[in-house]
Amino acid sequence: MKPRTEQRTGLLSGFAAYGLWGLVPLFWPLLKPAGALEILAHRMVWSLAVVGIALLALRRWGWIRELLRQPRKLVLTTLAATVITVNWGLYIWSVNSGHVVEASLGYFINPLVSIAIGVLVLGERLRRAQWAAVGITVVAVLVLAVGYGRPPWISLTLAFSFAAYGLIKKKLGMGGLESLAAETAVLFLPALGYLLWLGAQGRSTFASYGAGHTALLAATGLVTAIPLVCFGAAAIRVPLSTLGLLQYLAPVFQFGLGVLYFHEAMPPERWAGFSLVWAALTLLTWDALRTARRSRVRLEVAPLPVPAPAREPA
């Protein structure tokens, strides 16, 4: 595939991935009267089924033996599965409980939380613009806490859990499809056990509300896997800086849906808090683009290494 075609494919894949993640708040309410825990359990079970079929088609099984031989990776996989369970479960509950806007805030501030974790955990050094962006975000959270009458705990939990998930994935070093398969395999038995328990208690909605509801619950696997596949296609074809800009599509769509479609309240204090967050993200993006441009110029003007003179044979 030609480079220009590759880049176009990558951009389209990135738009598809973040666009689908941004529109997913429209899907979760369709699964009512199923509760958040039941939806989460179905998402785990059906995701493993979808990913398993994909791996079978691609014949990518060698990584399983390698993973089982490395206890550290198994521990990290289990930890990643636990953290993403918290993230998924809270997000589903938030959407179905009328907190779409607050959930979108979590993904707006996630890049800034990732930066803070980089400093605190990895000992990374920040540039002045990055420090300023983090400081503005702290002020924004305080303003939003006043607006909500409480800390925006949904946003903070989503942001910190996803940032922690990203940190674990970085240390794990597995491909997107493989890591999702490993994480859902860890979650499969507890999720299936919960669904069987719900059925035994007569509280399962899986086969109680018609074929359409059953099909929608099964479709949670596709809703999880398809954006991830698109993201994987984008990640190998477009620069990381471009991917970083595309990631804001998801919370922008979520915020728009929360305000315009679900008609959630946005009093002046929340607008002020969100505006501060957007200002911080603008500053962060400007700094990232400036740094990338300077690095590119530095590489272009760097002198080529002079080869050592050839030595005459003795």
Side-chain angles (χ1 to χ4, degrees):
M1 194 180 290
K2 294 180 180 179
R4 188 171 296 179
T5 307
E6 279 271 318
Q7 190 171 21
R8 187 183 303 117
T9 301
L11 282 172
L12 290 174
S13 298
F15 275 113
Y18 287 110
L20 288 170
W21 279 325
L23 295 175
V24 80
L26 296 173
F27 179 72
W28 302 127
L30 300 178
L31 304 181
K32 292 179 179 180
L37 280 179
E38 183 180 2
I39 296 171
L40 177 63
H42 275 288
R43 186 176 188 180
M44 296 170 182
V45 169
W46 293 108
S47 292
L48 181 61
V50 171
V51 174
I53 292 170
L55 290 173
L56 187 63
L58 296 171
R59 298 182 181 179
R60 282 158 54 177
W61 298 106
W63 59 273
I64 297 177
R65 187 176 302 171
E66 183 184 345
L67 177 63
L68 293 175
R69 289 175 178 172
Q70 300 182 59
R72 179 178 174 275
K73 277 198 170 185
L74 281 173
V75 171
L76 286 175
T77 299
T78 304
L79 190 58
T82 303
V83 172
I84 201 61
T85 297
V86 172
N87 186 274
W88 284 358
L90 179 59
Y91 184 73
I92 293 168
W93 177 85
S94 302
V95 171
N96 285 358
S97 301
H99 299 285
V100 177
V101 169
E102 191 174 351
S104 75
L105 175 64
Y107 294 105
F108 275 124
I109 65 176
N110 170 248
L112 296 148
V113 172
S114 295
I115 288 174
I117 286 180
V119 173
L120 298 174
V121 179
L122 302 178
E124 295 177 356
R125 298 182 65 180
L126 297 188
R127 296 181 293 275
R128 280 180 294 181
Q130 291 175 314
W131 276 117
V134 171
I136 293 170
T137 304
V138 172
V139 174
V141 170
L142 293 175
V143 171
L144 287 163
V146 173
Y148 281 107
R150 57 170 173 78
W153 65 270
I154 294 175
S155 309
L156 294 173
T157 305
L158 289 173
F160 276 92
S161 61
F162 202 73
Y165 179 68
L167 176 65
I168 297 166
K169 295 272 277 189
K170 183 176 181 180
K171 292 181 177 295
L172 197 54
M174 291 176 64
L177 210 58
E178 290 85 352
S179 61
L180 180 62
E183 291 156 21
T184 49
V186 169
L187 300 168
F188 179 79
L189 287 179
L192 183 62
Y194 178 72
L195 292 175
L196 292 174
W197 177 80
L198 276 183
Q201 296 290 314
R203 295 164 54 191
S204 172
T205 67
F206 183 63
S208 306
Y209 288 85
H213 181 71
T214 300
L216 285 171
L217 285 172
T220 54
L222 290 172
V223 169
T224 300
I226 290 176
L228 187 69
V229 171
C230 292
F231 174 79
I236 61 175
R237 289 179 172 89
V238 299
L240 194 60
S241 57
T242 304
L243 209 58
L245 292 175
L246 288 175
Q247 75 175 319
Y248 297 132
L249 281 177
V252 165
F253 284 2
Q254 292 163 8
F255 176 81
L257 286 173
V259 175
L260 301 175
Y261 182 80
F262 293 104
H263 304 293
E264 293 186 16
M266 280 295 293
E269 313 87 65
R270 293 184 195 173
W271 279 114
F274 270 86
S275 297
L276 286 170
V277 170
W278 294 331
L281 291 176
T282 301
L283 180 60
L284 192 67
T285 303
W286 168 79
D287 178 69
L289 292 174
R290 183 186 62 166
T291 303
R293 185 166 56 250
R294 284 180 175 177
S295 299
R296 188 166 57 248
V297 170
R298 199 175 294 121
L299 286 173
E300 289 173 354
V301 301
L304 294 173
V306 178
R311 297 178 60 184
E312 295 183 4

